[in-house]
């Protein structure tokens, strides 16, 4: 019998061709659906043991619809799998798997945002676009003179540390769990308060949990150095946006680079050119000359998209052939040190807006 996989949320502009290529290579027949899985389109999975999804929520009720159609394996083209009710899936006899991509894309992007922030690149580009070639107000700083505090030394944080080590800047690290690799590289772990007090640039690489929601708030900002620069490619909810705006307005914060913001949901990954938006904080942030914003893009590289398409299908093949599957999620497996609570998972989903994260 031919192996068959139903793919949901298949994006025509970057994923479809890759699915067709890898489907052919792996001998898998594909049903490609552009929409998120729901009770109405679940019938597309009839005859497929495996479905391939993105970050749309898979609660118990929806899982049981898929189980009734014979689905026994769900792979998500993301690192996080908190959007799938793991317990319900296991009770229904459904195996779940993810498709992690490498940390380099997000790490590259972080280094770029750090450099753009310290060199005032937003202002430079704006001026060049209107043939204003003046120099006043756009003098930058050199990374070698700045202490960078890296919060979160998992896959991405460690890669950022490795990348930054070539710039000669002093580095400080903070994590709930210390990494031998980081320590051996000579980067000291310090307390969060020490990061606030000593870092000229702070970069965030932790998952959003109940414990670290708004970890950068008014109090934390008040402990920071004058002119501190903050880069966030992790999750918007790690920063209290109101406090960030106040810090920028009073000049305490010298520059900001944000790939993620609070309340991204419904905004990011859609074209809102002609719309009046209801996110005042984002509008304020976009207006500041020293704030660079992008729309949750750090992951989005050719390598990442190809990796998740290929590996999600390979996982399906291994499953259908009864082979050892490196992407299978074991029950109670948690990808970060502390585990992500339901509340935090809800927030992450709200912020992710149904695309890779
Ligand atoms: P990871 O799981 O490898 O590392 C996370 C690290 O954070 C772990 O070392 C963990 O011990 C630490 N940690 C967890 N809670 C903490 C806390 N309260 N305080 C201090 N440390 C804590 O994750 P990875 O792959 O490095 O990703 C980091 C984050 O980057 C993700 O959770 C996600 O939010 C974000 N991300 C953003 C993307 C984007 O496109 N902007 C793409 C991929 C990930």
């Amino acid at each position: 019998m031919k192996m068959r996989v139903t793919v949901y949320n298949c994006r025509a502009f970057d994923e479809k061709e890759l699915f067709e290529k890898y489907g052919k290579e792996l001998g898998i027949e594909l049903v490609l659906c552009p929409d998120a899985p729901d009770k109405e389109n679940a019938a597309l999975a009839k005859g497929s043991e495996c479905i391939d999804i993105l970050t749309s929520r898979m609660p118990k009720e929806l899982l049981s619809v898929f189980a009734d159609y014979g689905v026994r394996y769900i792979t998500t083209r993301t690192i996080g799998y908190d959007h799938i009710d793991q317990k319900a899936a296991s009770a229904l006899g459904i195996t779940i798997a993810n498709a992690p991509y490498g940390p380099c894309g997000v790490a590259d992007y972080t280094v770029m945002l750090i450099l753009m922030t310290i060199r005032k690149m937003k202002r430079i580009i704006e001026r060049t676009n209107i043939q204003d070639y003046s120099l006043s107000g756009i003098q930058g700083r050199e990374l070698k003179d700045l202490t960078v505090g890296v919060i979160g030394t998992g896959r991405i944080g460690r890669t950022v540390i490795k990348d930054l080590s070539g710039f000669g800047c002093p580095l400080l690290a903070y994590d709930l769990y210390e990494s031998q690799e980081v320590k051996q590289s000579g980067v000291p772990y310090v307390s969060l308060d020490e990061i606030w007090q000593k870092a000229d640039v702070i970069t965030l690489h932790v998952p959003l949990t109940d414990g670290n929601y708004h970890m950068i708030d008014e109090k934390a900002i008040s402990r920071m150095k004058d002119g501190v620069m903050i880069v966030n490619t992790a999750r918007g909810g790690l920063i209290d946006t109101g406090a960030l705006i106040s810090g920028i307005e009073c000049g305490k914060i010298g520059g900001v680079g944000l790939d993620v913001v609070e309340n991204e949901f419904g905004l990011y990954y859609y074209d809102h050119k002609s719309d009046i938006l209801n996110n005042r904080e984002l509008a304020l942030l976009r207006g500041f000359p020293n704030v660079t914003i992008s729309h949750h893009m750090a992951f989005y590289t050719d390598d990442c998209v190809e990796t998740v398409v290929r590996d999600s299908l390979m996982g399906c093949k291994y499953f259908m052939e009864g082979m050892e599957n490196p992407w299978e999620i074991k029950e109670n497996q948690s990808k970060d040190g502390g585990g992500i609570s339901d509340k935090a998972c809800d927030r992450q989903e709200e912020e992710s807006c149904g695309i890779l994260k």
Side-chain angles (χ1 to χ4, degrees):
M1 198 176 93
K2 189 140 170 100
M3 290 186 287
R4 190 167 181 268
V5 174
T6 301
V7 179
Y8 288 95
N9 284 110
C10 178
R11 297 192 302 264
F13 56 88
D14 59 348
E15 288 188 322
K16 190 165 174 274
E17 208 174 297
L18 289 168
F19 268 115
E20 285 163 355
K21 172 183 159 191
Y22 284 107
K24 205 164 160 200
E25 263 180 47
L26 298 168
I28 298 174
E29 185 188 311
L30 296 171
V31 178
L32 301 179
C33 171
D35 305 316
D38 59 30
K39 285 181 184 162
E40 278 69 52
N41 62 26
L44 291 173
K46 215 167 158 184
S48 302
E49 258 186 300
C50 306
I51 63 168
D52 194 320
I53 66 168
L54 274 175
T55 47
S56 44
R57 243 203 192 307
M58 294 297 282
K60 189 175 169 188
E61 309 75 60
L62 188 54
L63 288 169
S64 69
V65 176
F66 279 102
D68 288 345
Y69 281 117
V71 170
R72 292 174 47 233
Y73 180 90
I74 299 177
T75 178
T76 172
R77 304 192 295 288
T78 56
I79 292 179
Y81 44 86
D82 331 81
H83 47 290
I84 305 170
D85 184 336
Q86 224 180 316
K87 240 189 184 160
S90 162
L92 289 161
I94 296 175
T95 300
I96 64 169
N98 65 347
Y101 44 90
C104 294
V106 181
D108 287 357
Y109 203 92
T110 303
V111 174
M112 177 189 76
L113 272 184
I114 291 175
L115 290 170
M116 285 182 77
T117 305
I118 69 169
R119 296 306 298 262
K120 303 186 175 165
M121 191 48 81
K122 180 176 176 180
R123 276 174 268 202
I124 294 171
I125 290 172
E126 280 173 354
R127 283 189 198 187
T128 312
N129 284 343
I130 56 165
Q131 302 191 69
D132 172 357
Y133 302 123
S134 62
L135 280 179
S136 75
I138 52 172
Q139 189 178 70
R141 299 191 67 189
E142 296 187 21
L143 204 41
K144 68 169 175 32
D145 301 324
L146 303 174
T147 297
V148 181
V150 179
I151 298 183
T153 55
R155 290 163 9 116
I156 295 170
R158 285 200 304 277
T159 311
V160 167
I161 287 176
K162 230 182 274 162
D163 292 350
L164 287 178
S165 64
F167 286 89
C169 49
L171 290 159
L172 300 172
Y174 173 77
D175 197 297
L176 295 177
Y177 304 89
E178 300 187 353
S179 144
Q180 280 311 315
E181 187 189 321
V182 170
K183 285 208 262 194
Q184 276 160 12
S185 72
V187 175
Y189 276 95
V190 297
S191 68
L192 209 45
D193 196 53
E194 212 170 325
I195 297 245
W196 300 154
Q197 289 186 58
K198 293 190 174 157
D200 300 289
V201 177
I202 294 170
T203 180
L204 299 175
H205 303 289
V206 292
L208 178 64
T209 66
D210 288 336
N212 63 21
Y213 177 68
H214 282 182
M215 75 190 299
I216 294 189
D217 58 7
E218 197 184 333
K219 188 163 166 234
I221 292 169
S222 72
R223 305 281 297 158
M224 292 176 191
K225 285 174 94 163
D226 290 342
V228 64
M229 288 171 267
I230 299 171
V231 167
N232 188 6
T233 56
R235 285 293 176 268
L238 294 169
I239 301 180
D240 176 344
T241 313
L244 185 76
I245 290 169
S246 303
I248 296 164
E249 282 172 339
C250 74
K252 173 82 182 172
I253 298 171
V256 178
L258 301 176
D259 185 47
V260 288
V261 288
E262 287 192 278
N263 308 314
E264 294 173 8
F265 183 67
L267 291 180
Y268 285 1
Y269 310 131
Y270 298 99
D271 181 353
H272 286 295
K273 263 198 303 288
S274 311
D275 302 337
I276 307 291
L277 302 181
N278 63 354
N279 191 325
R280 291 184 185 189
E281 290 181 329
L282 180 59
L284 275 174
L285 287 168
R286 280 182 42 233
F288 291 125
N290 55 349
V291 178
T292 304
I293 298 212
S294 59
H295 52 281
H296 207 141
M297 297 292 305
F299 69 90
Y300 194 49
T301 64
D302 51 354
D303 183 85
C304 161
V305 175
E306 181 148 5
T307 300
V308 298
V309 168
R310 183 196 61 219
D311 292 355
S312 67
L313 284 186
M314 294 256 284
C316 293
K317 185 179 163 74
Y318 289 157
F319 175 79
M320 289 185 278
E321 292 180 342
M323 288 163 71
E324 178 77 20
N325 181 356
W327 297 285
E328 190 177 315
I329 307 296
K330 308 282 182 234
E331 223 174 326
N332 301 322
Q333 184 177 325
S334 171
K335 80 172 182 65
D336 75 82
I340 302 178
S341 70
D342 286 348
K343 234 160 110 191
C345 151
D346 282 344
R347 266 191 229 117
Q348 285 204 352
E349 196 198 23
E350 276 170 22
E351 290 183 0
S352 77
C353 200
I355 196 167
L356 297 165
K357 57 173 183 153

